[in-house]
Amino acid sequence: MKIDLIKSILKIMQQDNVQVIKERLDVVDVIKQYLKLTPAGKYFKGLCPFHKEKSPSFMVSPDRQIWHCFGCAAGGDIFSFVMKYENVEFFDALKTLAEKAGVEIRSIATPDQKKINNLYDINRSAQEFFVKNLSGSPLDYLLNRGLKQETINEFGVGFAPNGSDNLLRHLLNAGYAVEDIERAGLVTKTERGTYWDRFRNRVMFPINNHLGKTVGFTGRIMPGEIAEVGKYVNSPETPIYHKSKILFGFDKSKNAIRDAKAAILVEGQMDFLMMWQDGVKNLAAISGTALTGDHLATLRRLADSLHLIFDNDEAGQAATERAIDLAQASDFSVKVVRLDSGKDPADFVQEKPGEISAVITGALSAMEFYFHRHLSDDSDSVRQKRGLRVVLGKIKTMFSPVERSHWIRRLSIKTGIRESDLSEELNKLPEQNMVSAPAEPLTDSLNDKQKIPRRVLISRQLVSLAAQKNWLERLQPHLEYFPVQYKDLIASGLKSVDPKIEMVFSLSSIPLEEEKFEPYFTTLILELKKEYWKEKRTAASQAVRQAEFAGDKDAVAKTEAEFDTITKEMHNL
């Protein structure tokens, strides 16, 4: 009963806070802090940050204090915008906007919220303790690695002193319970029931969540010391730290990643810090775990392309290959940055300050990386054949046949093997999972089925079938349902077919038994009409929303009538 009462009070207080914030903040002023808006009559418009577009479909209404995108259908008030843009929960958006509005958030925390907040407080206190202990040889080590004092300060790098319970005693004196310190992952319990600091005699890198709150640490052993449990020690999984989801430095780099629409991914904290210090801001680092789908999902919300800069040793190169597969499956365009002399990014930047950006610009495509990695000049024929089959396997996973042909040709030039022999060998390989989209498309969207509307695909099949069976005149009564480019083709009797489209038609040839052509043709015509009216209905629905957004009652009535007419047409098919 008590918890339910607290939750009810919290809800009322939040509602009051929301209303005060809305009264103080204007939706245009808030959104202008995140993206460029230009006047459009009584509205403001801009490019939607939530989907890729070239023409503005994102509209903001000062009168109604709302925003709406007519491209992806996202919309709402200032709270929903901040939640979506910052990828945060409501309470975090509330705190962000309250700060902008100068509103003090007074709340009563539930027991669960108190436990979570306590973990944040413990990690913050630990981070402050580590910073105070960074001096002498640990500080000299960081400076000798090339880090500047301002970079060390900006990222809160510290040091865990040697000793079994230095941090534990500090946190106990600060008033925290040992059970909570253990839950934060900062101490371990021995078999005798005593507690030891997890991090001892280590340089400490704090790991923050996307809001900048410290949730964990990575500790690196001091040079010359014998590591009992590894060169690096990471915080364990806790209620606030999930290794598979958090990227080091992302709280500071997310805006740069969003602006560049590209992310650079490195393997460790020192690589990140040295590159950041050298002027590269749109980067993130994996820490304490391998790259995961959750990491990529975080980056994919902000970026279209991904540059990988992993170590040049065998483990790093294997991790690069895995990362390429994962990133392409997440629809990233992937590049691989190779550094000379086998150096990692931190060492490269220290030796050649100011040059890393140019190296990133000259990154290899994923397939060029595979060529470089697997097609060596090794005289061992077994290794050569194994490498060749690996590259052929990568080519086979490509979605586009044109792109596959391109790389078969490049492979033939590289190895001196005839294209026909390479194609034959490729066809013998077992089927592999295909990436969701080509990372570096060599042609337009005609070759990428995932980007082609279904009505276009059906039209392609119909025109190909009509060409096969000489049924072109049978398409004439249904001309209005075809996309405009196919109307022109049909009207010209297929005499003005672009060679590229002609190639696609040939790929779309339909191997059917003679008696099945007629019913298949009829089915395709019906599906074409369905898709035509579906597109009409989508456009009409958007028109209704736009009229509602504008508050135009007459336009709403008109567009709703059109929507009803289209719906009836669909039922009559």
Side-chain angles (χ1 to χ4, degrees):
M1 286 294 292
K2 185 177 180 181
I3 292 177
D4 290 339
L5 178 60
I6 290 174
K7 287 182 177 179
S8 298
I9 295 172
L10 269 174
K11 187 174 181 180
I12 294 170
M13 294 178 71
Q14 284 181 358
Q15 289 172 347
D16 291 342
N17 288 327
V18 166
Q19 190 57 41
V20 173
I21 291 169
K22 282 187 173 183
E23 290 172 357
R24 293 191 184 184
L25 295 179
D26 181 77
V27 66
V28 175
D29 293 336
V30 170
I31 294 177
K32 271 187 174 180
Q33 296 175 30
Y34 295 90
L35 55 101
K36 183 179 179 180
L37 295 176
T38 57
K42 63 179 183 177
Y43 306 111
F44 286 81
K45 66 180 180 180
L47 294 175
C48 180
F50 308 124
H51 79 287
K52 194 173 181 178
E53 64 177 6
K54 294 181 179 180
S55 300
S57 60
F58 183 93
M59 303 292 290
V60 183
S61 170
D63 293 342
R64 304 179 67 188
Q65 288 293 296
I66 61 172
W67 60 275
H68 185 86
C69 175
F70 293 98
C72 65
D77 58 12
I78 53 176
F79 289 92
S80 59
F81 179 85
V82 171
M83 288 170 65
K84 192 170 179 66
Y85 192 94
E86 297 283 2
N87 190 31
V88 296
E89 297 300 325
F90 171 78
F91 192 71
D92 290 320
L94 179 68
K95 289 189 288 185
T96 298
L97 290 170
E99 186 176 338
K100 294 179 186 293
V103 175
E104 181 183 357
I105 300 296
R106 298 176 180 175
S107 62
I108 303 170
T110 65
D112 287 342
Q113 287 174 326
K114 284 183 177 179
K115 289 180 181 179
I116 295 298
N117 291 336
N118 203 31
L119 294 180
Y120 284 128
D121 291 341
I122 290 171
N123 275 281
R124 177 180 48 76
S125 183
Q127 194 261 336
E128 292 170 352
F129 172 80
F130 295 142
V131 167
K132 288 179 181 178
N133 281 277
L134 180 63
S135 61
S137 57
L139 178 59
D140 290 339
Y141 162 74
L142 292 172
L143 296 174
N144 290 334
R145 285 294 306 272
L147 285 181
K148 298 176 181 177
Q149 186 66 56
E150 52 263 40
T151 306
I152 295 171
N153 295 342
E154 181 179 4
F155 285 87
V157 183
F159 180 71
N162 208 358
S164 62
D165 61 354
N166 290 294
L167 176 63
L168 174 61
R169 284 187 285 108
H170 168 78
L171 294 174
L172 289 174
N173 289 336
Y176 298 109
V178 67
E179 294 81 9
D180 291 332
I181 300 171
E182 183 184 14
R183 285 179 66 241
L186 293 170
V187 297
T188 58
K189 191 174 184 179
T190 67
E191 292 180 357
R192 292 182 298 173
T194 58
Y195 292 90
W196 283 52
D197 288 350
R198 181 180 297 276
F199 302 101
R200 302 184 300 276
N201 196 33
R202 291 178 180 270
V203 175
M204 300 298 293
F205 300 93
I207 300 170
N208 298 338
N209 64 14
H210 62 284
L211 295 174
K213 292 183 177 181
T214 301
V215 295
F217 297 89
T218 292
R220 188 203 188 280
I221 195 71
M222 285 294 294
E225 298 288 333
I226 298 175
E228 297 179 2
V229 290
K231 182 178 179 181
Y232 291 93
V233 171
N234 298 284
S235 291
E237 293 277 317
T238 71
I240 62 172
Y241 177 48
H242 305 287
K243 297 178 186 179
S244 64
K245 295 183 178 181
I246 293 181
L247 291 161
F248 178 80
F250 183 72
D251 59 308
K252 293 185 181 295
S253 66
K254 59 186 177 182
N255 289 334
I257 292 172
R258 181 186 291 113
D259 293 341
K261 296 292 184 184
I264 298 165
L265 193 63
V266 296
E267 285 190 289
Q269 284 93 349
M270 281 301 297
D271 293 335
F272 178 100
L273 294 174
M274 288 296 289
M275 288 180 64
W276 177 275
Q277 183 176 277
D278 207 45
V280 180
K281 303 300 184 182
N282 59 317
L283 74 162
I286 49 178
S287 176
T289 185
L291 180 67
T292 69
D294 286 330
H295 291 144
L296 290 168
T298 297
L299 295 172
R300 190 66 185 88
R301 296 187 188 101
L302 308 179
D304 300 320
S305 63
L306 185 69
H307 284 61
L308 303 172
I309 316 182
F310 289 1
D311 290 347
N312 276 321
D313 58 16
E314 180 56 33
Q317 296 300 283
T320 299
E321 283 204 32
R322 180 178 177 274
I324 289 171
D325 290 339
L326 283 173
Q328 288 183 336
S330 297
D331 201 21
F332 275 105
S333 173
V334 186
K335 297 273 189 178
V336 179
V337 179
R338 290 186 60 84
L339 303 177
D340 60 7
S341 304
K343 298 186 181 301
D344 62 30
D347 292 336
F348 182 91
V349 169
Q350 186 175 13
E351 291 184 14
K352 299 180 178 180
E355 295 186 20
I356 190 72
S357 294
V359 176
I360 293 170
T361 302
L364 303 175
S365 70
M367 191 53 63
E368 287 170 332
F369 165 77
Y370 292 135
F371 274 39
H372 192 280
R373 172 163 163 74
H374 294 291
L375 301 179
S376 66
D377 296 325
D378 197 320
S379 59
D380 189 314
S381 60
V382 175
R383 278 198 291 268
Q384 283 183 338
K385 186 174 182 179
R386 186 185 302 123
L388 181 63
R389 288 175 67 86
V390 169
V391 173
L392 284 171
K394 299 298 183 182
I395 293 174
K396 189 165 186 173
T397 64
M398 291 179 169
F399 188 88
S400 166
V402 176
E403 191 173 6
R404 287 198 298 271
S405 296
H406 169 82
W407 287 108
I408 286 288
R409 190 177 309 114
R410 289 277 299 271
L411 186 57
S412 176
I413 295 169
K414 172 77 175 177
T415 61
I417 302 172
R418 292 184 303 176
E419 290 182 42
S420 58
D421 293 336
L422 291 171
S423 296
E424 183 179 350
E425 184 71 16
L426 181 144
N427 291 330
K428 291 178 182 178
L429 296 177
E431 292 294 332
Q432 302 179 44
N433 291 331
M434 298 179 73
V435 297
S436 63
E440 302 130 30
L442 300 176
T443 60
D444 61 24
S445 60
L446 276 170
N447 297 307
D448 187 348
K449 289 186 179 181
Q450 290 197 342
K451 295 180 181 177
I452 302 174
R454 188 164 181 265
R455 186 160 65 106
V456 173
L457 291 173
I458 294 170
S459 299
R460 180 184 299 173
Q461 289 274 293
L462 277 167
V463 174
S464 179
L465 180 58
Q468 279 182 257
K469 303 298 292 180
N470 198 24
W471 286 351
L472 199 59
E473 72 284 351
R474 296 184 60 180
L475 300 180
Q476 296 291 342
H478 313 290
L479 207 57
E480 66 175 296
Y481 302 106
F482 284 88
V484 63
Q485 66 268 38
Y486 287 89
K487 289 180 183 178
D488 295 340
L489 287 174
I490 295 167
S492 70
L494 298 185
K495 293 177 182 178
S496 62
V497 181
D498 182 278
K500 191 186 296 183
I501 297 176
E502 190 172 37
M503 178 194 71
V504 173
F505 286 162
S506 67
L507 292 172
S508 302
S509 295
I510 305 161
L512 287 177
E513 297 174 10
E514 186 62 34
E515 66 273 12
K516 294 183 179 179
F517 275 106
E518 184 66 42
Y520 187 63
F521 180 84
T522 304
T523 299
L524 284 177
I525 289 292
L526 178 61
E527 292 301 313
L528 177 70
K529 292 179 178 180
K530 286 181 180 178
E531 291 303 314
Y532 171 83
W533 288 113
K534 280 182 184 178
E535 290 179 13
K536 284 278 193 182
R537 184 174 63 180
T538 299
S541 177
Q542 188 177 33
V544 171
R545 291 198 303 272
Q546 197 159 1
E548 289 174 340
F549 182 82
D552 188 335
K553 294 182 179 180
D554 292 338
V556 169
K558 181 181 178 181
T559 52
E560 284 182 342
E562 291 173 356
F563 184 87
D564 291 341
T565 300
I566 292 168
T567 303
K568 289 177 183 177
E569 290 285 351
M570 293 183 70
H571 287 314
N572 291 334
L573 289 177

